[in-house]
Amino acid sequence: MITRKVGPALACGCTVVVKPSEFTPLTALAAADLALQAGIPAGALNVVMGNAPEIGDELMQSTQVRKITFTGSTAVGKKLMAGSANTVKKVSLELGGNAPCIVFDDADIDVAVKGSLAAKFRNSGQTCVCANRILVQEGIYEKFASAFVKAVQSLQVGNGLEESTSQGPLINEAAVQKVEKFVGDATSKGANIMLGGKRHSLGMSFYEPTVVGNVSNDMLLFSEEVFGPVAPLIPFKTEEEAIHLANDTNAGLAAYMFTKNIARSWRVSEALEYGLVGVNEGLISTEVAPFGGVKQSGLGREGSKYGMDDYLEIKYVCMGNLG
């Protein structure tokens, strides 16, 4: 998160004040220390720790701060956007997602399972581009669901420092309670637990990798970002229905689809209201491509040459009568 913002800012000649999440502050401090060791001048990169609302208010009110960039929840992003209005700051926001992952009848099952698994369970489901809803066409639903459940069963939960571990804990107790709320809401409305569905025997903030079947659009698992290791499977009939379900959200960050049909891949990619689309691929983020969303998933782009634009202003100079 920090390097994607600080890199282009420094390259454009800006100084930076970093306010890391209070839940994950240590990497920011390590990055700042490494920056000093690498020769970045003292004062060019600064890290401020403490009370988030107080620090945020100070940064919002300061006329010296010309730009705010934020990665986090849509709710906080809206507050920062509103707070930046008084001093008319430039704002770029990378906010929440509700990523659909569409598996069409003509998809390669193995490719779809592998890609969906990577898109859903990276970092135990705790990224803004994680697949939040897996839409599966009826003709392939049972076959995909069976293969997907088998793949999820093989995920090893444990200490992230151990080589065999692929799933670590959720960030805190509140995150676990949110997952429990979403799963409970789904089952109360007719969804069925195909795998997992409860806290892991390791205790603490570990949650079992979970697959929930027959999820519908009246459930929290469909309408909101679960941010945990829960994969909702949603059957659909037609391509048009899949596009409608995928776009039925205020979010618009990442989307995924699996199909062997090139024409369909282009057609659906254009119809999806998302800033990033992965076709037959579950890991799509790269620093050389523009990263960002549409609708309430944010403003601006990070990465690629376009990631520089948010740290620059265009100046027009007209010179005349110079002899």
Side-chain angles (χ1 to χ4, degrees), residues 164-239:
S164 61
T165 297
S166 60
Q167 296 291 292
L170 297 184
I171 193 166
N172 54 28
E173 175 63 20
V176 181
Q177 291 179 9
K178 179 183 178 182
V179 169
E180 289 180 321
K181 176 185 174 183
F182 279 39
V183 172
D185 171 77
T187 54
S188 72
K189 294 175 180 174
N192 60 295
I193 304 295
M194 305 176 74
L195 183 71
K198 60 184 185 297
R199 293 179 184 239
H200 198 276
S201 58
L202 288 171
M204 297 176 286
S205 59
F206 287 92
Y207 195 87
E208 292 183 352
T210 297
V211 181
V212 183
N214 293 311
V215 171
S216 56
N217 61 1
D218 62 337
M219 301 174 187
L220 291 173
L221 282 175
F222 181 95
S223 60
E224 298 183 27
E225 191 175 32
V226 65
F227 227 68
V230 179
L233 302 186
I234 302 156
F236 71 89
K237 291 183 173 66
T238 66
E239 180 181 306

Side-chain angles (χ1 to χ4, degrees), residues 243-260:
I243 293 169
H244 172 75
L245 288 170
N247 289 337
D248 187 19
T249 173
N250 287 326
L253 185 54
Y256 307 86
M257 84 174 86
F258 294 88
T259 176
K260 293 178 184 175

Side-chain angles (χ1 to χ4, degrees), residues 4-5 67-85 88-97 128 250-254 274-276 290-303 306-311:
R4 284 161 62 157
K5 299 175 185 298
K67 183 225 168 45
I68 295 290
T69 174
F70 171 73
T71 294
S73 72
T74 301
V76 173
K78 289 178 178 179
K79 290 180 180 179
L80 294 175
M81 196 172 179
S84 297
V88 195
K89 299 186 196 306
K90 200 167 188 175
V91 177
S92 59
L93 304 169
E94 199 275 276
L95 308 176
C128 50
N250 287 326
L253 185 54
Y274 292 85
L276 314 165
F291 183 100
V294 298
K295 297 198 281 191
Q296 293 187 30
S297 282
L299 301 168
R301 292 296 182 268
E302 294 180 346
Y306 302 105
M308 301 284 283
D309 293 346
D310 281 312
Y311 299 90

Side-chain angles (χ1 to χ4, degrees), residues 123-144:
N123 200 36
S124 300
Q126 299 171 106
T127 83
C128 50
V129 294
C130 279
N132 201 58
R133 301 167 291 154
I134 302 179
L135 314 176
V136 188
Q137 200 158 12
E138 287 183 345
I140 206 174
Y141 182 88
E142 295 299 335
K143 189 176 180 181
F144 174 86

